[in-house]
Amino acid sequence: MKTRCCNGRPLLASGAVGLLLMTSGAALAEQQLAAAMPPDVPWAERTTELGSVGPMPEGVLAKDDLLDLIAVGEALFAASFTKLDGAGRPEATQAIDPTRRKHPREQRFLRTAGPDGGSCSACHNMPLMGGAADFVANVFVSEGFESADFDSLDPQFSNERGSNHLFGAGLVELLAREMSHDLQQIRNGALASARSSGEPVRRALVTKGVEFGFITAEADGSVLLDGLDGVDTDLVIRPFSQKGVMTSLRQFTVNALNHHHGMQPDERFGVRWTGTDDFDGDGMSREVSAADVSALVAWQATLPAPTQVIPVVEGWSEAAARGEEMFGTIGCADCHRPHLPLESLSFADPGPFDSAGTLNARQVKTPGIYDLELLDWAKDLPRDDEGRILVPLYGDLKRHTMTDRQIDALGNELLSQRFVDRNIFQTSELWGVGSTAPYGHRNDFTTLDEIILAHGGDGRSARDAYAGSADADKLSLIAFLKTLVIEP
């Protein structure tokens, strides 16, 4: 016998003795409370949008269907999840791979390792929902101690990170997919040539004008990867997070739901991977469906791109024009590329490059296709003579070394994340930078001048040129950067 809550998701029944014996007293009390709650009423303390989509979207969505899906995603992003939804994870850690806790946790919210937020919008809210966050909303990536039962702000246990904004995120993921495809095609072509010729073949890895080093294909089918630069050995561009280690909005969403809210998506924490539909032991089963994740992805992927707005202030337009020219001449644009060309605005979800634990296109019959061309803001994106969209991200989706012996302010982490060295970060996209102070991966630089001067390593040359410029020129560059904003 099972009891169902208002959205139809099954809860533990009182007769499920074996499972109840393994459930903590707190979780049992919550389960009993949920079972006693009234049926579906507007004032019930649950997120009614959970489970409202039904089956996962398939095929190309018409505009009205896409807008309906986006509306659900927006509501889920804004929702403050409750224990009746399944918020909290007393018997599971924040780890990306489903991991049991050694000791059940009594506190629902904790500053490190989470759960640390009731809603997605609790952190992504500057200058509006979907944006970045101030220092107060920093999160902790406890990369080296994902199974530990302790909490610490000490950097030897966790990496403190600011929350990035999500505007234009669908365009960023589409760029990363096309670039990953290009790099893998170069590798495959090199392998075919090496097998055919019987000789090693060395190829440059270049996509959309961004260089990622070299590979050498051998006649026996092996590939030498010691010449790679700023990309993983599988040649997949992972465009999200400061370290460039998240493949997709879907992966980011699945990770964040568990880490920050204790809400477990079925596609990673459900029966298929864990053998149970209540992996976190909170008495709530099937907390977030694959369709719920799709709705959250649809909302994030369709957020409009940041834009350039010059304040109506005497002299600002002229200063910004000088600053934009300086941005190119001193070398900022070598990494913070003003545009990258995009072939298609067709966003498939699930996407092609995710791996185990996140749904990908190979694991569903037909992915949902969200055509960004249908959205009003996409019509204003610039295009080149070939009709390609020029995505104005001011980035290159490549990882770079950001410290050297003289300047190491951006090397203040003690743990590497996903095997990416501590002083290596992906180029931050600067679109929206005028709306998302403070700066740096820890939000600990209060001005643009400070973060520019903190650039070492691959950014040292441009940094030194800026540092050696006249004060008026520095202010012009700042005037330009402050025009790159997220419009309300």
Side-chain angles (χ1 to χ4, degrees), residues 64-381:
D64 287 347
D65 293 332
L66 176 57
L67 294 178
D68 288 344
L69 185 65
I70 290 169
V72 174
E74 182 176 17
L76 290 174
F77 198 90
S80 292
F81 297 115
T82 74
K83 61 186 179 183
L84 302 182
D85 296 322
R89 42 177 167 77
E91 296 181 11
T93 75
Q94 76 282 3
I96 290 172
D97 295 329
T99 305
R100 294 280 191 192
R101 293 190 64 82
K102 296 183 181 71
H103 308 288
R105 174 176 285 174
E106 295 182 3
Q107 300 95 332
R108 182 165 299 278
F109 290 110
L110 287 167
R111 188 69 185 94
T112 56
D116 50 27
S119 66
C120 304
S121 60
C123 289
H124 297 278
N125 54 36
M126 290 175 54
L128 66 161
M129 192 169 77
D134 203 340
F135 186 85
V136 69
N138 280 7
V139 300
F140 292 85
V141 184
S142 48
E143 189 68 20
F145 292 85
E146 76 283 351
S147 302
D149 284 0
F150 57 81
D151 304 293
S152 175
L153 304 186
D154 192 308
Q156 66 180 311
F157 301 133
S158 59
N159 292 329
E160 185 177 359
R161 300 280 176 78
S163 300
N164 289 331
H165 78 76
L166 297 166
F167 285 84
L171 298 173
V172 170
E173 184 168 342
L174 287 174
L175 282 169
R177 293 179 186 182
E178 291 185 0
M179 294 169 78
S180 300
H181 180 267
D182 289 348
L183 296 180
Q184 293 185 354
Q185 287 294 99
I186 293 170
R187 178 196 61 198
N188 296 344
L191 282 168
S193 295
R195 282 192 291 264
S196 175
S197 67
E199 300 290 337
V201 174
R202 179 177 167 89
R203 293 277 172 84
L205 292 168
V206 182
T207 172
K208 301 187 185 297
V210 183
E211 299 177 357
F212 290 91
F214 297 84
I215 59 166
T216 301
E218 301 284 355
D220 64 2
S222 61
V223 180
L224 301 181
L225 300 170
D226 54 343
L228 294 184
D229 182 19
V231 66
D232 287 332
T233 55
D234 60 1
L235 304 184
V236 172
I237 305 293
R238 294 180 164 85
F240 299 117
S241 82
Q242 284 97 337
K243 302 291 281 190
V245 296
M246 297 295 171
T247 307
S248 66
L249 287 170
R250 193 169 192 99
Q251 182 191 31
F252 165 76
T253 300
V254 170
N255 292 352
L257 283 167
N258 175 67
H259 188 148
H260 300 304
H261 315 311
M263 296 289 293
Q264 283 71 45
D266 288 347
E267 63 193 71
R268 184 177 302 167
F269 297 90
V271 173
R272 178 181 180 188
W273 291 105
T274 67
T276 175
D277 58 7
D278 182 27
F279 180 79
D280 63 342
D282 64 358
M284 305 297 291
S285 62
R286 307 190 62 147
E287 294 173 7
V288 183
S289 71
D292 293 329
V293 175
S294 293
L296 280 162
V297 169
W299 184 73
Q300 294 170 85
T302 56
L303 285 172
T307 187
Q308 183 174 25
V309 176
I310 300 175
V312 184
V313 175
E314 184 177 358
W316 199 315
S317 178
E318 293 78 10
R322 291 194 302 271
E324 184 171 10
E325 182 179 0
M326 180 180 173
F327 186 86
T329 57
I330 69 173
C332 301
D334 292 350
C335 297
H336 297 284
R337 295 178 178 240
H339 299 92
L340 289 182
L342 178 66
E343 301 288 344
S344 172
L345 287 173
S346 181
F347 188 99
D349 177 45
F353 291 111
D354 277 308
S355 55
T358 305
L359 281 179
N360 60 52
R362 298 179 298 281
Q363 295 172 323
V364 297
K365 182 179 179 181
T366 306
I369 305 295
Y370 316 144
D371 185 1
L372 306 190
E373 291 270 18
L374 298 173
L375 306 172
D376 292 340
W377 61 262
K379 296 176 174 59
D380 296 328
L381 293 172

Side-chain angles (χ1 to χ4, degrees), residues 309-486:
V309 176
I310 300 175
V312 184
V313 175
E314 184 177 358
W316 199 315
S317 178
E318 293 78 10
R322 291 194 302 271
E324 184 171 10
E325 182 179 0
M326 180 180 173
F327 186 86
T329 57
I330 69 173
C332 301
D334 292 350
C335 297
H336 297 284
R337 295 178 178 240
H339 299 92
L340 289 182
L342 178 66
E343 301 288 344
S344 172
L345 287 173
S346 181
F347 188 99
D349 177 45
F353 291 111
D354 277 308
S355 55
T358 305
L359 281 179
N360 60 52
R362 298 179 298 281
Q363 295 172 323
V364 297
K365 182 179 179 181
T366 306
I369 305 295
Y370 316 144
D371 185 1
L372 306 190
E373 291 270 18
L374 298 173
L375 306 172
D376 292 340
W377 61 262
K379 296 176 174 59
D380 296 328
L381 293 172
R383 296 177 185 257
D384 64 14
D385 293 340
E386 299 177 30
R388 298 179 300 180
I389 300 93
L390 296 176
V391 180
L393 77 168
Y394 290 89
D396 61 2
L397 305 189
K398 179 180 176 179
R399 300 185 192 127
H400 295 272
T401 301
M402 295 306 299
T403 66
D404 52 46
R405 290 188 177 183
Q406 290 77 37
I407 299 178
D408 61 358
L410 294 176
N412 58 2
E413 294 190 341
L414 299 182
L415 296 173
S416 62
Q417 184 182 7
R418 305 283 188 84
F419 311 106
V420 179
D421 286 346
R422 295 173 297 169
N423 62 340
I424 292 178
F425 292 88
Q426 181 177 274
T427 302
S428 295
E429 293 88 38
L430 295 183
W431 59 356
V433 71
S435 301
T436 53
Y439 311 106
H441 57 271
R442 287 189 66 247
N443 275 340
D444 50 357
F445 295 90
T446 61
T447 66
L448 289 165
D449 176 74
E450 288 178 284
I451 189 62
I452 294 170
L453 292 174
H455 281 56
D458 293 350
R460 181 64 184 271
S461 176
R463 178 262 180 208
D464 287 350
Y466 170 83
S469 299
D471 288 347
D473 292 332
K474 291 179 185 177
L475 284 172
S476 292
L477 182 61
I478 301 303
F480 162 64
L481 292 175
K482 293 186 75 170
T483 67
L484 305 179
V485 297
I486 298 169

